[in-house]
Amino acid sequence: MKDRIRRLEQDRDLPDRDLLDLIVMQDAEAEALLAQRAAAVRQQVYGRDVFIRGLIEFTNYCRNDCFYCGIRRSNACAQRYRLTREEILACCRAGYGLGFRTFVLQGGEDPFFTTERLAELVRAIKRAYPDCAVTLSVGEKDRATYQAWFDAGADRYLLRHETADEGLYRRLHPEELSLQNRMRCLRDLKDIGYQVGCGFMVGAPFQTPEMLLKDLRFLQAFQPHMVGIGPFIPHRDTPFRDCPPGTAQMTLRLLAIIRLTLPHVLLPATTALGTVQSDGRQRGMGYGANVVMPNLSPLSVRKKYALYDNKISTGEEAAESVALLKQSMAAAGYRVVTARGDWKGGGQ
């Protein structure tokens, strides 16, 4: 197993069988080596810097009905909200004062936020904070819409592909959504010039190790700038309420494999990882991650943006606690930096 890890670091690839063995391995000594090598590769590219992104969850209305998601259209128990333009700009103002130089506008696919309404918001943020990056994460749109937001000044776009397996995609989503369209969106975004992030759930219902292998192969082929993965966590008001969650350890292992496969990728340790394991985000840094996304949303709405149950919304994942986050990362040997934290690869 250790030989496979060294070959993966050297070649950035392995045959399917060897890579599958790494995904499911139960060898603690080999896993420690995997984490060590992933952290070393991250340090070669990005040092021990941890980039922070200010997450603004600005709407939990969504036109979609994905079976795993707590803000799905048919969840009548969800307490819906939309932040106003002034509230969103106030989040940015507070975040800038705390040292954030990337703002992530994340929401459900809310028809209220039209192409022009969101474009105007992006322009307003870029006028006020020209040294900051704006990341959007608002789902599937047509190419013209993505182009309009890019022209308005958006720098990055996050769109998790969720799974690269066609059969699993159909089991996780309603009939009107397709993996084909999701992949079309990702291609359009990259072609337009965004720094593009994709990603997948770990331990989703019906997922097999072979499906995770497909996700890794997709990442290798697509070459995203960012990859966001996190354990599946069930939500009580969804059809998957009784399904077991994904594990922190499998998520950490996949973070390390992704780092060795894509050395330059921006790799968050997600809130979901911190939800299933209290020190998950710190441990994520030890497996090659280099991004965290504290929450800048108003306190009054944080618990309402509930994609899954028991989401943490106070403590180190809260933007107000940047000092606490810096302390915990420093204790683990990492440095939270005030920077845009752009991708350090070459070309698109």
Side-chain angles (χ1 to χ4, degrees):
M1 199 67 71
K2 292 180 182 179
D3 178 61
R4 295 175 196 180
I5 293 167
R6 294 187 183 96
R7 282 191 285 124
L8 181 61
E9 180 180 4
Q10 179 179 337
D11 300 336
R12 303 184 189 176
D13 198 7
L14 285 174
D16 284 358
R17 183 69 258 170
D18 291 347
L19 198 53
L20 194 59
D21 285 346
L22 284 185
I23 292 172
V24 300
M25 71 176 174
Q26 300 293 318
D27 182 334
E29 194 174 330
E31 185 141 347
L33 176 65
L34 178 66
Q36 178 192 66
R37 298 320 304 155
V41 168
R42 187 271 328 281
Q43 186 163 342
Q44 288 168 13
V45 179
Y46 291 102
R48 300 187 76 81
D49 290 349
V50 175
F51 301 120
I52 54 173
R53 319 299 203 196
L55 180 62
I56 304 171
E57 296 165 333
F58 67 101
T59 175
N60 74 345
Y61 283 88
C62 192
R63 64 183 181 181
N64 293 331
D65 215 17
C66 304
F67 303 143
Y68 50 83
C69 185
I71 64 169
R72 63 197 305 258
R73 182 183 68 233
S74 64
N75 181 9
C77 297
Q79 299 178 54
R80 304 293 177 177
Y81 73 90
R82 292 185 183 105
L83 298 186
T84 65
R85 178 183 185 277
E86 291 70 28
E87 287 173 322
I88 294 168
L89 292 174
C91 292
C92 294
R93 186 162 56 248
Y96 194 87
L98 290 168
F100 290 88
R101 296 298 179 266
T102 291
F103 302 119
V104 181
L105 302 184
Q106 179 173 296
E109 294 194 20
D110 184 351
F112 174 83
F113 286 97
T114 61
T115 300
E116 181 50 36
R117 190 170 275 156
L118 197 51
E120 196 284 324
L121 183 58
V122 171
R123 286 192 289 267
I125 295 171
K126 295 294 278 194
R127 281 195 301 269
Y129 310 103
D131 56 332
C132 293
V134 173
T135 301
L136 299 178
S137 181
V138 291
E140 296 182 1
K141 309 294 178 181
D142 60 37
R143 185 184 177 111
T145 296
Y146 290 145
Q147 185 70 58
W149 293 339
F150 186 78
D151 293 344
D155 303 275
R156 306 173 185 146
Y157 203 100
L158 306 181
L159 182 65
R160 296 211 321 185
H161 65 279
E162 302 300 359
T163 175
D165 183 86
E166 177 75 41
L168 181 58
Y169 198 92
R170 286 200 302 269
R171 298 185 80 169
L172 299 178
H173 299 89
E175 191 173 337
E176 63 268 21
L177 297 181
S178 72
L179 181 58
Q180 180 181 9
N181 191 56
R182 183 60 60 107
M183 295 303 185
R184 187 273 306 167
C185 290
L186 287 168
R187 290 192 301 271
D188 283 351
L189 288 162
K190 197 174 187 188
D191 187 54
I192 287 167
Y194 285 92
Q195 291 185 40
V196 181
C198 56
F200 54 90
M201 287 185 288
V202 179
F206 317 114
Q207 188 181 62
T208 66
E210 289 77 13
M211 292 172 182
L212 290 170
L213 176 62
K214 281 188 179 181
D215 287 311
L216 295 176
R217 293 304 186 208
F218 167 68
L219 297 180
Q220 287 177 300
F222 183 65
Q223 293 287 306
H225 306 92
M226 300 164 277
V227 174
I229 69 169
F232 163 76
I233 304 174
H235 188 287
R236 62 188 175 278
D237 298 319
T238 70
F240 296 152
R241 64 180 68 84
D242 296 323
C243 295
T247 67
Q249 198 57 47
M250 177 66 85
T251 305
L252 291 166
R253 190 180 308 141
L254 286 161
L255 282 174
I257 292 171
I258 291 166
R259 173 60 68 195
L260 293 179
T261 306
L262 302 171
H264 296 91
V265 79
L266 291 159
L267 194 59
T270 60
T271 301
L273 180 56
T275 297
V276 298
Q277 188 167 74
S278 59
D279 64 345
R281 295 203 300 184
Q282 289 87 343
R283 291 193 68 203
M285 299 301 139
Y287 280 75
N290 67 329
V291 174
V292 290
M293 297 171 64
N295 201 327
L296 276 174
S297 308
L299 282 168
S300 60
V301 303
R302 287 185 192 170
K303 290 190 180 298
K304 297 177 183 177
Y305 198 84
L307 307 182
Y308 48 81
D309 282 347
N310 303 314
K311 175 187 170 187
I312 46 177
S313 59
T314 58
E316 290 174 27
E317 69 291 337
E320 302 83 5
S321 303
V322 169
L324 180 61
L325 177 64
K326 288 181 176 179
Q327 290 171 11
S328 68
M329 289 296 173
Y334 305 99
R335 181 175 68 124
V336 172
V337 297
T338 299
R340 280 173 47 115
D342 288 301
W343 179 70
K344 289 190 176 180
Q348 280 294 318

